[in-house]
């Protein structure tokens, strides 16, 4: 396979536009790999394509960040972690390919002529010490972008959507006119999500990739995404930055703040919801046994 190499972003870009350009560029790298497969007749080995995607997107992003912001630290799923980043003032938190399995799958029956799945993403976030946002710790998410390359979309913090645009749609949930729609894993929904699905007022919407699930809240495809199986910071940093910028509520499952750029980048759970439905969803979670902290945001 050849490796497409889009031009690196202009270092003069501000952090928000730079995050967008980085996510878009890595997405072009990934789509180029799929195009190589199609040009060769359409057959492929899934593991080979997954590995190629992870490696190519990581290599391009690492070089592009180093050129644009050589003094910044990086935390990436596909690179060795340097603990010195916890003392840095600026840290890029990156997932070069979120939804690796979905990237290397075709829809339908998987025939060489079937279309590729479109539910994978590229995550690029910037954590900055001293940034005051809804996350916790000594800093916050100052910029972020989630690219959905197969849909030719990039959700960003510098050109955010607005949760208020969805107010009329979510009011129907509170009125009992439609179920609460929750993004869920196609294959591994947590037990409490399965319990929620047994309620008449909840509908699960299966999809892949944590990033796709979170931006599906942002664009109104679903009302919420709740996760309890554990993730790493790179799985949620950019999607949470985009969702916060749009006005959605993003916390731990129990309502406590998310924290990023910690020594251990493991995050046990995640709650992302339209703000008008947060109390409604927390009540439902409590009814299926999820502990909610007193004073949690609602």
């Amino acid at each position: 396979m050849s490796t497409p190499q889009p031009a690196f972003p202009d270092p003069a870009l501000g952090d928000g536009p730079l995050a967008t350009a980085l996510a878009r560029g890595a997405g072009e790298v990934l789509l180029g790999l799929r195009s190589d497969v199609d040009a060769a007749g359409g057959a492929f080995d899934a593991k080979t394509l997954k590995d190629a995607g992870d490696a190519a997107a990581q290599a391009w992003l690492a070089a592009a960040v180093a050129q644009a912001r050589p003094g910044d630290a990086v935390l990436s799923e596909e690179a060795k972690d340097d603990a010195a980043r916890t003392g840095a003032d600026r840290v890029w938190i990156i997932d070069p390919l979120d939804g690796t399995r979905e990237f290397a799958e075709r829809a339908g029956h998987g025939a060489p002529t079937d279309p590729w799945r479109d539910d994978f993403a590229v995550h690029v976030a910037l954590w900055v010490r001293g940034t005051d946002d809804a996350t916790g710790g000594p800093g916050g998410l100052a910029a972020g972008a989630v690219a959905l390359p197969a849909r030719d979309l990039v959700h960003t913090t510098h050109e955010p959507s607005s949760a208020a645009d969805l107010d009329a749609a979510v009011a129907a949930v509170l009125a009992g006119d439609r179920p609460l729609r929750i993004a869920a894993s196609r294959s591994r929904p947590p037990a409490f999500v399965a319990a929620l699905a047994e309620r008449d007022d909840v509908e699960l919407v299966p999809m892949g990739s944590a990033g796709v699930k979170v931006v599906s809240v942002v664009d109104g495809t679903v009302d919420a995404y709740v996760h309890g199986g554990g993730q790493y910071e790179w799985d949620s940093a950019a999607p949470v930055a985009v969702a916060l910028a749009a006005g959605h509520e993003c916390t731990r499952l129990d309502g406590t703040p998310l924290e990023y750029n910690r020594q251990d980048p493991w995050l046990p759970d995640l709650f992302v919801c339209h703000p008008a439905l947060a109390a409604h969803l927390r009540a439902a979670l409590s009814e299926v046994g999820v502990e909610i902290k007193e004073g949690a945001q609602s």
Side-chain angles (χ1 to χ4, degrees):
M1 295 177 181
S2 62
T3 304
Q5 290 294 319
F8 290 155
D10 183 351
L13 290 173
D15 289 331
L18 176 61
T20 301
L22 290 168
R24 188 183 295 279
E28 292 176 10
V29 171
L30 293 166
L31 291 181
L33 292 172
R34 282 182 165 186
S35 294
D36 286 347
V37 171
D38 290 335
F44 63 96
D45 175 74
K47 183 178 185 309
T48 300
L49 185 57
K50 291 176 187 177
D51 292 346
D54 280 331
Q58 167 62 28
W60 187 87
L61 280 167
V65 172
Q67 183 194 63
R69 299 291 190 268
D72 290 356
V74 176
L75 169 64
S76 173
E77 179 179 16
E78 300 300 330
K80 183 178 180 180
D81 189 16
D82 181 351
R85 65 170 168 76
T86 60
D89 289 335
R90 293 167 52 91
V91 182
W92 292 90
I93 302 177
I94 290 171
D95 188 346
L97 173 52
D98 179 61
T100 308
R101 185 181 68 181
E102 290 79 8
F103 166 69
E105 279 188 359
R106 294 187 186 273
H109 298 291
T113 55
D114 283 342
W116 293 97
R117 286 184 63 168
D118 65 1
D119 49 347
F120 70 97
V122 178
H123 300 175
V124 178
L126 175 64
W127 179 93
V128 174
R129 190 175 303 280
T131 295
D132 183 15
D133 63 8
T135 61
L141 300 170
V146 178
L148 308 181
R151 301 179 188 176
D152 194 24
L153 290 172
V154 184
H155 294 266
T156 75
T157 54
H158 74 284
E159 293 179 342
S161 58
S162 173
D165 292 338
L166 307 173
D167 284 351
V170 301
V173 178
L174 298 174
D177 293 335
R178 71 167 176 85
L180 179 75
R181 297 187 301 247
I182 299 177
S185 170
R186 293 179 183 275
S187 57
R188 297 174 297 172
F192 71 88
V193 173
L196 283 176
E198 294 178 358
R199 298 166 56 105
D200 292 336
D201 59 351
V202 172
E203 175 188 356
L204 299 189
V205 182
M207 59 183 74
S209 163
V212 171
K213 293 183 180 79
V214 175
V215 297
S216 294
V217 180
V218 173
D219 70 16
T221 300
V222 296
D223 304 303
Y225 170 47
V226 286
H227 179 80
Q231 294 175 328
Y232 290 95
E233 291 185 12
W234 49 74
D235 291 312
S236 69
V240 163
V242 167
L244 286 174
H248 294 276
E249 185 166 323
C250 305
T251 66
R252 291 279 308 279
L253 199 56
D254 65 3
T256 55
L258 297 158
E259 295 185 28
Y260 291 94
N261 194 32
R262 298 164 307 134
Q263 183 173 6
D264 181 355
W266 180 252
L267 282 172
D269 45 50
L270 178 65
F271 175 101
V272 179
C273 185
H274 187 283
L277 297 175
H280 179 78
L281 177 54
R282 290 198 192 286
L285 288 169
S286 182
E287 289 173 11
V288 298
V290 175
E291 182 181 355
I292 307 297
K293 298 284 188 184
E294 185 177 353
Q297 291 174 271
S298 62

